[in-house]
Amino acid sequence: MTQPMPSTARDGGIYRVSTAQKAAFERDGWVHLPGVLAPDEVAALATDYDRFLRGEITVAGKDFCDMSGDYTKTVEQFSIINVMLPRRYHPAWQGNVYEQRAASIAEQLCGAGMALDYDQLLAKRPQRDDAVFGWHQDLAYWPTDTPDLRTATCWLAIDDSTAENGCMRFVSGSHLVPLRPHRPLHGDRGKSHTLVTDLVKGDRVTLAEIARGDVTVHNERVLHGSGGNKSAGWRRAYIVAFRSAATVAEERRRGFTHSHNDAAKVLGSVGFARKK
Ligand SMILES: O=C(O)CCC(=O)C(=O)O
């Protein structure tokens, strides 16, 4: 499943992306980068990660929610625990080694002028068939009319991520075609944040089985999602998303922060489309 961890790619706060990896990101809309974090670095993050899951770090309102169910579920019923903006709720994470390497990756893949847009934790409880993250393009979640659409969303595996526990899956090359229509999973964005779209004939799905400490990086247009967790363990992921600094500034000017508690959060592309 996994590639050997490169010994030379990590260098302090830098992770060196190869020419072949950059070409894969441009061609497929996503790329697998092995060994972005060393085992001890993942272990240190996992300690705080589990404090979030146990509720020991306070997260406001809907920023602690379930991405598979609606907002009426109790925490024990959440199949995909979603923590939005963990660095806001746990400032000690700001500038951590993962953020540093993710920033270096974003710059190598997308060029200068990238900024951290949001961070997120997505943890699938063990043995939850319904811990399915529906097919979507991230661009559906936010305004589409911003000036610079460069995006590098880094997805760190805190656990080995496998077909059995619900690893990421992508339709390679789908970032090159127009945004597909999306709909709220539970019929109404007031009931849950989640948006979904459908695969169409010809879409070819690639499973991204990756090891603990590895990262996938994806573009905001590539179709992706993940299946349920049939394993006896958690599937934990830590996401840090970079977009062009000009775009992040424009989003903030509009009051769009990626917090599920903001009124403006419903105004992703779906919200704008519905207003017309
Ligand atoms: O963690 C998952 O299964 C889905 C994550 C995702 O869709 C994303 O990071 O954009």
Side-chain angles (χ1 to χ4, degrees):
M1 168 185 88
T2 59
Q3 300 172 21
M5 186 166 20
S7 56
T8 55
R10 290 191 302 266
D11 181 8
I14 306 285
Y15 180 92
R16 288 186 218 293
V17 177
S18 71
T19 307
Q21 288 164 337
K22 185 169 179 189
F25 181 70
E26 286 165 6
R27 181 189 65 231
D28 298 333
W30 69 280
V31 64
H32 168 201
L33 303 178
V36 172
L37 261 66
D40 61 320
E41 293 168 337
V42 182
L45 292 175
T47 300
D48 283 344
Y49 195 117
D50 289 344
R51 291 176 60 219
F52 274 111
L53 296 185
R54 289 193 298 267
E56 293 167 11
I57 299 174
T58 304
V59 177
K62 293 174 179 172
D63 283 345
F64 193 94
C65 69
D66 181 9
M67 285 304 275
S68 60
D70 62 32
Y71 288 132
T72 64
K73 302 233 172 192
T74 62
V75 174
E76 294 68 33
Q77 291 173 320
F78 289 9
S79 288
I80 308 180
I81 297 180
N82 176 28
V83 177
M84 285 314 298
L85 311 180
R87 71 197 308 275
R88 174 188 287 186
Y89 299 108
H90 184 50
W93 264 7
Q94 293 174 18
N96 70 37
V97 66
Y98 172 43
E99 284 194 359
Q100 292 173 40
R101 292 200 189 126
S104 88
I105 288 165
E107 186 168 323
Q108 290 169 79
L109 291 177
C110 298
M114 301 295 284
L116 200 162
D117 188 19
Y118 68 91
D119 60 338
Q120 182 176 15
L121 308 180
L122 285 168
K124 297 187 181 185
R125 287 189 191 277
Q127 280 158 351
R128 294 287 177 109
D129 284 345
D130 65 344
V132 172
F133 209 116
W135 287 103
H136 66 282
Q137 293 159 294
D138 292 343
L139 181 59
Y141 277 92
W142 48 66
T144 56
D145 59 344
T146 44
D148 181 344
L149 297 180
R150 289 178 297 151
T151 313
T153 299
C154 296
W155 190 105
L156 169 69
I158 299 288
D159 305 291
D160 285 348
S161 193
T162 64
E164 189 190 15
N165 72 10
C167 66
M168 288 278 271
R169 48 193 181 188
F170 295 94
V171 177
S172 296
S174 54
H175 62 305
L176 300 173
V177 297
L179 182 65
R180 292 191 185 171
H182 285 62
R183 61 188 180 277
L185 177 63
H186 294 284
D188 178 348
R189 287 212 87 193
K191 290 186 182 159
S192 93
H193 190 71
T194 310
L195 296 173
V196 290
T197 190
D198 300 307
L199 294 186
V200 299
K201 199 172 172 206
D203 285 341
R204 290 185 50 206
V205 175
T206 303
L207 291 181
E209 293 194 293
I210 67 173
R212 176 178 166 96
D214 291 7
V215 163
T216 56
V217 190
H218 63 270
N219 172 286
E220 66 183 359
R221 281 177 179 266
V222 72
L223 267 164
H224 62 284
S226 60
N229 183 0
K230 298 180 190 310
S231 81
W234 286 79
R235 191 233 65 177
R236 293 169 297 174
Y238 176 6
I239 294 125
V240 181
F242 289 82
R243 299 170 68 207
S244 103
T247 291
V248 174
E250 173 59 15
E251 274 189 345
R252 297 298 177 274
R253 196 188 62 73
R254 297 182 190 187
F256 192 98
T257 70
H258 299 274
S259 169
H260 292 200
N261 297 319
D262 291 343
K265 62 100 175 146
V266 293
L267 300 178
S269 63
V270 170
F272 283 123
R274 287 163 125 206
K275 284 183 77 157
K276 282 182 192 152

